[in-house]
Amino acid sequence: MTNERVERLVSSFKEIFGGDPDVLVRAPGRVNLIGEHTDYNAGFVFPVAIDRDIMVAARRRDDGLVRVRSLDFGASVEFPLSDIQYDNDQKWSNYPRGVAHFLQEDSHSIYGMDAIITGNVPQAAGLSSSAAMEVATAMTFEKISGLDIDPAQMALLCQKAENKFVGVNCGIMDQFISRMGQKDHALLLDCRSLAFELVPLHFDTVKIVVCNTGVKRGLVDSEYNERRSECERGVTILEEFLPGIEALRDVELDDLLKYSSYIPEITEKRCRYVVKENIRVLESVEALEEGDLIKFGDLMNDSHIGLRDEYEVSCPELDAMVEIAWSMDGVIGSRMTGAGFGGCTVSLVVVDALQEFIDKINDEYPKCTGLKPEIYVCAAEDGAGTIEI
Ligand code: GLA
């Protein structure tokens, strides 16, 4: 599969630009196992990089021009490094544009390039195709320009491109895991210090199954920003009682409960979810390290309940998908993943029950929602890297 995609990428490069590319780069999408909406609260997340990625084939240019062809959008753009503008028509091109802009702003001296991009990360599904595109193009500029960019700095730079150029106010999780993931591991990230631990999955008898509800995440931008503000509001109120706190990460559950009557109800619910989710992430990593998958699965389920009832970022389709999963014996845990309001669920499914799981989702989800699900059985893969030509 990968080889066919690489061959197609290289032959398209030859066809469109003539000659061979200098470099091939891939950067994966991600699925978050647990730790949702905690990254922008300086908390903990536990994602894996998946075996769906964005690939770039590129060759350096010496005239400072960047020419990019997207095979998936069937469109091309070109822009000079000296004058990078937001593109309203070819929105996908704002990822490479933003990355090139901030690489230069951070004083990296980069070359122009001819590049072809293609990917198989489902778009607008909550699997971070945008972060994959940012990291893939950042690494391509790094390689063709002979740079050596610290991986965490690259993730931060890609996040900056998404926040300030593309205009989406995301946290650091997606770019970080796309850059730093490791095969057969999940990554526990402290989103404040960016300290991380790669935790082996030992999932010989278990599969990570991602189910796409088919609901595109329409509301996500406004609701996402609103949740961020509610968390900040909570911190501002709690600061009066808990001097020195900077984020919900610093708030203990007991303290939150003690002062909850001072916080408006909705804000308090949001804060409660985040404080509890941070605890769940740390407990789930412990459970995994002890080989206690049942506990891990229970924590995933609790995470979904919190996202549904306290943080209120689920939707009927995500709930239906999760409930079908919960009703099955071979499912260890299931929850929505990503920002919410549509997109995907992630389930841990015992290998022996995998086919039954797939059949049941395909059969029951359309009956509940009128929508057709897409199911991706995923493997935990390496983060971004070059591909040997
Ligand atoms: C989106 C954002 C991430 C994170 C998740 C929710 O994927 O890009 O930074 O906030 O939502 O956990």
Side-chain angles (χ1 to χ4, degrees), residues 46 200-203 206 280 283-300 332-333 348:
F46 196 50
L201 287 175
H202 302 304
F203 279 0
V206 174
R280 280 192 286 267
E283 283 181 359
S284 71
V285 173
E286 229 175 79
L288 202 59
E289 283 170 340
E290 284 163 6
D292 190 347
L293 273 183
I294 302 294
K295 175 145 188 225
F296 189 86
D298 289 346
L299 289 160
M300 288 176 76
I332 292 166
L348 292 191

Side-chain angles (χ1 to χ4, degrees), residues 30 32 35-40 45 126-128 130-131 159 162 168-175 217 220 224 228 273 307 311 335-340:
R30 64 99 188 92
N32 191 17
E36 220 63 81
H37 291 277
T38 42
D39 60 353
Y40 54 81
V45 293
L127 299 177
S128 292
S130 359
Q159 183 200 9
E162 175 111 22
V168 175
N169 209 7
C170 64
I172 185 62
M173 167 168 71
D174 307 342
Q175 291 78 8
R217 306 172 306 146
V220 77
Y224 188 88
R228 284 189 78 136
Y273 162 76
L307 288 157
Y311 217 61
R335 57 185 286 279
M336 55 152 276
T337 186

